[in-house]
């Protein structure tokens, strides 16, 4: 069975109502957020949560982010004792920042993969917010892609990757940021940065010292698996298109300037705007991956600000090649 796609831009109320009804009955629904599309299920319904893992073919050791509508709902899933955590939430919610906090018993260990910490964020997208409002329960939602593949930034991406696994997709248009949320674990006065994202390290440093921490202790934080975000075609990182001599069967992901001779090219931002580049990144990779190319070459970007998050995703996409 193929998923039904509802137009949440032109018919927001009807689509939100359908999504809420499906979620109430324990189904899972793909929803737009301001970062990437999420595959959402009632965080308090263990069988809905299990359906998320099954649809994505995601291993159970990879925990899910819980999405809350506000601070009051946050208090129902986690303890906010850390002062920096409180300030981060105040500053960035609703928005693309996920915070790791000690979980309450209401959150199943299926959601956190056995961890005493739960990852929580309050998304800004009006459609997602309306669904949270209508359901009045927190939503567990990973990115709506098959495990290990490129995250979806449009409803069409979700349809292509998981169209036979979900019954309902709400189409809210292209995602604003195009990159998954920044994940931070505030502890002992330090902000442990688990995933680079739209809220940059430089911005986080205003709240305290930041330490890059690709995993917490022994258990790998699975979004940090080296090969996450991989396209199906081999992807190689280059500094400049000049490095690529065999172009006829190759795709090229350029930062600003479109090179010639490639079978397919994508330009992330002709003006060099990192915000625009981030928003275009996954869609460009999806197009190159679907095209008639045998390999994809992607240009490295300077690792500062949003560039860190973009380079992080490209490096992981390249890890399997
Ligand atoms: O922007 C986003 O964060 C999107 C939208 C849908 O909200 N969600 C998203 O979820 O990217 P997902 O599951 O694709 O990535 C979440 C990452 C995973 O790498 C997971 O391992 C990590 O967060 N994570 C979730 N809960 C965790 C926990 N309790 N401890 C450590 N890492 C956790
Ligand atoms: Mg993901």
């Amino acid at each position: 069975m193929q998923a039904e796609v509802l137009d949440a831009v032109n018919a927001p109320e009807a689509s939100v109502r359908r999504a809420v009804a499906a979620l109430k009955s324990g189904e899972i629904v793909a929803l737009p957020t301001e970062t990437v599309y999420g595959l959402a299920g009632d965080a308090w319904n263990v069988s809905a949560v299990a359906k998320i893992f099954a649809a994505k073919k995601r291993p159970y050791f990879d925990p899910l982010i819980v999405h809350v509508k506000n601070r009051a709902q946050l208090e129902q899933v986690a303890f906010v004792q850390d002062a920096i955590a409180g300030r981060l939430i105040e500053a960035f919610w609703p928005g693309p920042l996920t915070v790791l906090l000690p979980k309450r018993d209401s959150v199943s260990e299926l959601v956190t993969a056995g961890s005493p910490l739960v990852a929580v964020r309050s998304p800004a997208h009006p459609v997602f917010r309306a669904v949270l409002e209508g359901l009045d329960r927190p939503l567990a939602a990973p990115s709506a892609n098959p495990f290990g593949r490129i995250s979806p930034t449009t409803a069409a991406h979700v349809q292509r990757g998981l169209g036979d696994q979900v019954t309902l997709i709400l189409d809210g248009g292209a995602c604003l940021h195009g990159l998954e949320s920044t994940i931070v674990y505030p502890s002992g006065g330090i902000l442990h940065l688990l995933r680079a994202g739209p809220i940059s390290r430089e911005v986080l440093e205003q709240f305290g010292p930041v330490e890059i921490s690709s995993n917490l202790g022994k258990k790998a934080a699975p979004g940090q698996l080296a090969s996450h975000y991989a396209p199906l075609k081999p992807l190689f990182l280059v500094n400049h298109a000049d490095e690529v001599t065999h172009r006829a069967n190759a795709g090229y992901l350029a930062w600003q300037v479109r090179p010639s001779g490639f079978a397919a090219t994508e330009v992330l931002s002709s003006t060099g705007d990192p915000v625009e580049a981030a928003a275009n990144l996954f869609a460009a990779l999806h197009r190159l991956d679907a095209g008639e190319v045998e390999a994809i070459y992607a240009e490295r970007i300077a690792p500062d600000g949003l560039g860190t998050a973009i380079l992080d995703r490209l490096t992981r996409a390249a890890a399997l090649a």
Side-chain angles (χ1 to χ4, degrees):
M1 198 182 54
Q2 276 295 310
E4 187 180 354
V5 182
L6 301 180
D7 183 347
V9 175
N10 294 305
E13 277 147 37
S15 14
V16 166
R17 221 176 307 123
R18 284 281 307 282
V20 169
L23 290 162
K24 274 189 180 149
S25 65
E27 294 306 313
I28 57 175
V29 177
L31 300 173
T33 86
E34 74 279 27
T35 57
V36 300
Y37 274 72
L39 182 59
D42 180 346
W44 285 334
N45 179 334
V46 181
S47 78
V49 172
K51 284 180 192 169
I52 295 175
F53 283 96
K56 281 180 63 91
K57 300 192 171 54
R58 180 176 175 124
Y60 286 108
F61 63 72
D62 192 351
L64 306 179
I65 296 175
V66 172
H67 298 67
V68 295
K69 66 173 178 177
N70 55 25
R71 189 68 192 241
Q73 199 169 56
L74 168 66
E75 297 289 345
Q76 297 181 303
V77 300
F79 296 95
V80 192
Q81 293 148 334
D82 187 276
I84 299 181
R87 289 173 53 219
L88 289 171
I89 288 165
E90 195 62 41
F92 298 111
W93 283 15
L97 184 75
T98 296
V99 185
L100 280 187
L101 297 167
K103 81 171 193 70
R104 288 192 190 264
D105 288 343
S106 75
V107 179
S108 138
E109 291 198 347
L110 183 57
V111 171
T112 67
S115 171
L117 301 176
V118 59
V120 199
R121 87 174 184 103
S122 189
H125 197 289
V127 171
F128 203 111
R129 295 197 67 76
V131 173
L132 279 172
E133 195 61 51
L135 184 68
D136 201 24
R137 290 164 79 88
L139 285 170
S143 51
N145 50 304
F147 180 70
R149 294 289 158 205
I150 307 165
S151 287
T153 56
T154 65
H157 295 157
V158 180
Q159 206 172 11
R160 203 172 327 133
L162 293 176
D164 55 355
Q165 297 292 321
V166 297
T167 51
L168 205 56
I169 301 171
L170 264 55
D171 185 350
C175 299
L176 175 68
H177 297 294
L179 284 179
E180 304 88 344
S181 61
T182 302
I183 304 181
V184 67
Y185 174 43
S187 171
I190 310 266
L191 286 85
H192 301 272
L193 183 60
L194 276 86
R195 181 170 72 184
I199 311 282
S200 69
R201 175 192 185 139
E202 290 83 348
V203 168
L204 290 176
E205 272 165 352
Q206 296 165 14
F207 294 79
V210 174
E211 269 179 24
I212 308 288
S213 110
S214 52
N215 63 57
L216 287 174
K218 55 246 156 298
K219 201 193 288 178
Q224 304 297 334
L225 289 178
S227 69
H228 229 69
Y229 313 106
L232 297 168
K233 308 279 169 65
L235 184 141
F236 304 94
L237 292 183
V238 296
N239 293 315
H240 195 276
D242 288 352
E243 293 171 33
V244 189
T245 47
H246 294 80
R247 302 187 176 192
N249 297 319
Y252 192 80
L253 182 68
W255 168 227
Q256 258 187 285
V257 182
R258 190 183 301 276
S260 58
F262 287 92
T265 51
E266 295 283 343
V267 174
L268 290 180
S269 170
S270 56
T271 60
D273 173 8
V275 174
E276 184 187 15
N280 288 332
L281 176 68
F282 288 144
L285 279 174
H286 276 285
R287 281 192 296 270
L288 289 173
D289 207 23
E292 301 279 305
V293 300
E294 284 166 11
I296 300 168
Y297 294 88
E299 223 165 78
R300 283 196 184 84
I301 171 173
D304 47 51
L306 207 46
T308 308
I310 297 174
L311 187 61
D312 168 76
R313 304 307 189 272
L314 286 175
T315 307
R316 287 175 207 290
L320 281 184

